[in-house]
């Protein structure tokens, strides 16, 4: 039974590796072509002649003896066509190994029956047999080798070009097939060992990455999650006990409580992804496997705007297009860009009026977040810390846009505000699974 071969290719292949691989498939055929075509033609030029002691030179199946005379080897157009045809099909040996093996066997036997000269006219068949053996088609190679042993050394005797069957020709052909199979098996074992070492290294890398993700998740849980839980708890207690507090203070406390709760939910989602060994989950799941805390997307922009309004920022939201048409990494990154932009307005320009415009087309999502001062700076609005164009927030937003082959621009406006514009493809590419 033929064994289905496993082709191991590098997962992190550098650019141009595919072209080099295709060149290797064709380039390795060139020495075989030269050996078979040129070598056989050169060998055919040396006519077999009898020595001074009466012996006949050349391999047994190259001896054309009729009544004691020795005939020269004549290679005609059909024989040359068979030599070339056996080489031409070799570049397809990896895609159709059995078909190439059958074609080269037919051309080699055809040449042996037609001419039966000296020379390396079996070079193409040797390469096809080795390739088929490496690809797992062992029975095909064994049958082809048996056919070659049965036909090639006996062609002269069967066709009357020689009076007797030379046993040395049979032994020579048997040795050729045996060596071809033995070397192919050695190469196959070597390749399997190399592939196994590569798999072991990849598995070790995956284990190290998993351990590092678990360590990061543990650190986040022990530090950030604990602090966020305390913030949420204390804001809730302050609301419960501060019935006499001013309304604006109570609204701020409620916003702190709600924001910290939402941040905890998102943090648990991130922790679930970090702890996931196979990376198959986008969010935390319950025992049944259903998603209970999906990663934030454009469907949560309205809640984000409401929290900004509760914090005292005048924000206007405009959403055009079908939000359900955006999903995956594009949906997540679009929300994060809007979230970071609105957060920057709350931190750096709380007295500005902000607008959030989202336009969803058939192929593109356009995001625009702008803030403008309500009145000139000199009229009493306190100055705020300027937002640097190279801050971590801007860098993070630009990386999120680049991750889906999108673009992002950010910079100040002429009236003292800030503008963030992003354009993302509707269907973003998910991070590649490196398993």
């Amino acid at each position: 039974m033929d064994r289905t071969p496993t082709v191991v290719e590098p997962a992190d292949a550098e650019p141009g590796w595919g072209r080099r691989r295709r060149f290797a498939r064709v380039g390795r055929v060139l020495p075989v072509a030269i050996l078979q075509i040129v070598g056989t033609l050169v060998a055919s030029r040396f006519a077999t002649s009898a020595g001074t002691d009466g012996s006949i030179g050349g391999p047994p199946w190259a001896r054309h003896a009729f009544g004691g005379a020795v005939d020269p080897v004549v290679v005609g157009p059909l024989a040359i066509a068979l030599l070339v045809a056996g080489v031409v099909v070799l570049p397809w040996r990896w895609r159709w190994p059995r078909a190439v093996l059958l074609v080269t066997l037919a051309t080699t036997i055809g040449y042996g029956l037609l001419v039966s000269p000296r020379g390396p006219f079996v070079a193409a068949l040797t390469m096809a047999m080795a390739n088929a053996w490496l690809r797992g088609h062992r029975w095909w190679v064994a049958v082809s080798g048996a056919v070659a042993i049965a036909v090639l050394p006996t062609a002269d005797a069967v066709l009357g070009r020689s009076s007797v069957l030379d046993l040395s020709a049979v032994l020579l052909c048997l040795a050729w097939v045996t060596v071809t199979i033995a070397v192919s098996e050695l190469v196959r074992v070597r390749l399997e060992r190399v592939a196994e070492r590569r798999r072991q290294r990849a598995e070790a890398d995956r284990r190290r990455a998993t351990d590092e993700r678990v360590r990061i998740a543990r650190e986040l849980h022990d530090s950030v999650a604990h602090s966020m839980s305390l913030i949420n708890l204390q804001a809730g207690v302050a609301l419960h006990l501060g019935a006499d507090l001013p309304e604006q203070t109570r609204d701020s406390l409620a916003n702190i409580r709600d924001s910290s709760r939402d941040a905890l939910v998102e943090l648990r989602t991130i922790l679930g992804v970090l702890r996931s060994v196979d990376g198959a989950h986008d969010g935390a799941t319950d025992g049944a496997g259903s998603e209970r805390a999906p990663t934030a997307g454009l469907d949560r922009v309205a809640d984000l705007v409401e929290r900004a309004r509760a914090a005292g920022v005048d924000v206007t939201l405009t959403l055009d297009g079908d939000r359900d048409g955006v999903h995956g990494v594009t949906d997540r990154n679009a929300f994060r860009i809007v979230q970071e932009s609105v957060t920057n307005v709350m931190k750096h320009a709380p007295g500005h009026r902000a607008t959030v415009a989202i336009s969803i087309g058939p192929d593109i999502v356009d995001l625009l977040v702008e803030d403008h001062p309500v009145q000139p700076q000199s009229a009493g609005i306190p100055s705020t810390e300027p937002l640097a164009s190279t801050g971590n927030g801007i860098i993070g937003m630009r990386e999120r846009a680049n991750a889906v082959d999108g673009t992002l621009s950010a910079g100040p406006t002429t009236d003292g505000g800030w503008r963030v514009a992003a354009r993302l493809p509707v269907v973003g590419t998910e991070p590649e699974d490196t398993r």
Side-chain angles (χ1 to χ4, degrees):
M1 180 179 296
D2 290 341
R3 184 186 61 177
T4 302
T6 301
V7 180
V8 180
E9 298 180 356
D12 55 348
E14 60 186 59
W17 182 84
R19 291 191 299 271
R20 290 197 299 272
R21 183 185 178 199
R22 288 191 296 270
F23 174 78
R25 292 183 178 181
V26 178
R28 291 170 186 169
V29 177
L30 295 179
V32 177
I34 295 173
L35 179 63
Q36 172 158 308
I37 299 174
V38 179
T40 304
L41 292 178
V42 170
S44 68
R45 294 296 180 182
F46 295 93
T48 306
S49 60
T52 57
D53 57 352
S55 63
I56 299 178
W61 58 83
R63 301 170 187 171
H64 296 193
F66 295 95
V70 178
D71 295 334
V73 174
V74 179
V75 180
L78 179 57
I80 295 178
L82 290 173
L83 287 176
V84 174
V87 174
V88 167
V89 297
L90 288 178
W92 288 274
R93 65 193 182 278
W94 285 7
R95 178 172 297 181
W96 299 297
R98 290 177 293 186
V100 171
L101 177 61
L102 292 178
V103 172
T104 53
L105 177 64
T107 56
T108 302
I109 291 178
Y111 186 87
L113 294 175
L114 182 65
V115 180
S116 186
R118 68 178 71 178
F121 66 100
V122 295
L125 179 58
T126 303
M127 188 176 199
M129 290 174 62
N131 175 75
W133 186 273
L134 293 176
R135 306 293 287 180
H137 306 294
R138 300 183 181 180
W139 282 107
W140 288 74
V141 176
V143 172
S144 300
V147 172
I149 293 173
V151 175
L152 292 180
T154 62
D156 284 346
V158 172
L159 297 179
R161 292 193 296 243
S162 177
S163 58
V164 294
L165 175 64
D166 195 332
L167 182 59
S168 60
V170 179
L171 295 178
L172 181 61
C173 191
L174 178 62
W176 158 63
V177 173
T178 303
V179 171
T180 299
I181 293 178
V183 173
S184 301
E185 178 63 15
L186 290 176
V187 173
R188 183 192 66 82
V189 173
R190 172 67 176 173
L191 291 178
E192 285 189 353
R193 289 179 179 175
V194 172
E196 180 62 27
R197 287 196 294 268
R198 184 179 298 158
R199 283 192 292 267
Q200 291 175 355
R201 288 195 298 269
E203 182 63 27
D205 292 341
R206 282 194 293 268
R207 285 197 299 268
R208 285 194 294 269
T210 299
D211 294 342
E212 180 66 13
R213 292 193 318 199
V214 172
R215 186 191 67 80
I216 294 173
R218 185 167 55 248
E219 293 296 331
L220 285 174
H221 178 270
D222 293 343
S223 58
V224 180
H226 177 70
S227 300
M228 294 299 297
S229 298
L230 287 179
I231 292 173
N232 181 264
L233 178 62
Q234 292 175 1
V237 171
L239 276 174
H240 179 70
L241 299 179
D244 298 332
L245 292 175
E247 186 67 23
Q248 185 176 4
T249 302
R250 290 182 59 84
D251 291 342
S252 297
L253 288 173
N255 188 45
I256 293 174
R257 180 196 61 192
D258 296 340
S259 298
S260 60
R261 183 182 63 244
D262 293 342
L264 277 173
V265 172
E266 293 187 13
L267 183 58
R268 292 191 188 101
T269 300
I270 296 173
L271 293 179
V273 172
L274 288 175
R275 287 195 174 104
S276 175
V277 175
D278 59 4
H281 303 290
D282 263 347
T285 58
D286 56 23
S290 60
E291 193 176 273
R292 70 168 185 261
T295 306
L298 290 177
D299 57 334
R300 296 184 57 184
V301 170
D303 296 336
L304 173 66
V305 170
E306 288 300 326
R307 288 199 300 269
R309 289 171 180 167
V313 179
D314 183 8
V315 184
T316 302
L317 173 63
T318 303
L319 178 60
D320 296 328
D322 183 12
R323 189 181 59 198
D324 296 333
V326 185
H327 50 80
V329 67
T330 298
D331 190 29
R332 296 193 295 271
N333 287 4
F335 174 79
R336 295 304 184 189
I337 291 174
V338 175
Q339 182 185 46
E340 179 66 23
S341 301
V342 174
T343 301
N344 285 336
V345 175
M346 297 169 61
K347 290 169 55 179
H348 301 281
H352 287 199
R353 181 175 61 251
T355 58
V356 178
I358 302 175
S359 177
I360 303 174
D363 301 315
I364 295 296
V365 178
D366 286 313
L367 308 175
L368 178 62
V369 181
E370 289 183 309
D371 66 271
H372 305 279
V374 177
Q375 50 187 343
Q377 194 75 19
S378 59
I381 295 181
S383 61
T384 58
E385 179 185 355
L387 180 63
S389 60
T390 58
N392 290 331
I394 300 297
I395 294 175
M397 288 190 292
R398 185 168 288 113
E399 289 176 348
R400 289 186 178 276
N402 293 337
V404 293
D405 296 329
T407 59
L408 183 138
S409 61
T413 60
T414 56
D415 58 357
W418 193 266
R419 180 179 185 271
V420 175
R423 169 164 286 196
L424 312 178
V426 168
V427 180
T429 303
E430 294 287 355
E432 182 179 358
D433 189 358
T434 59
R435 286 180 292 169

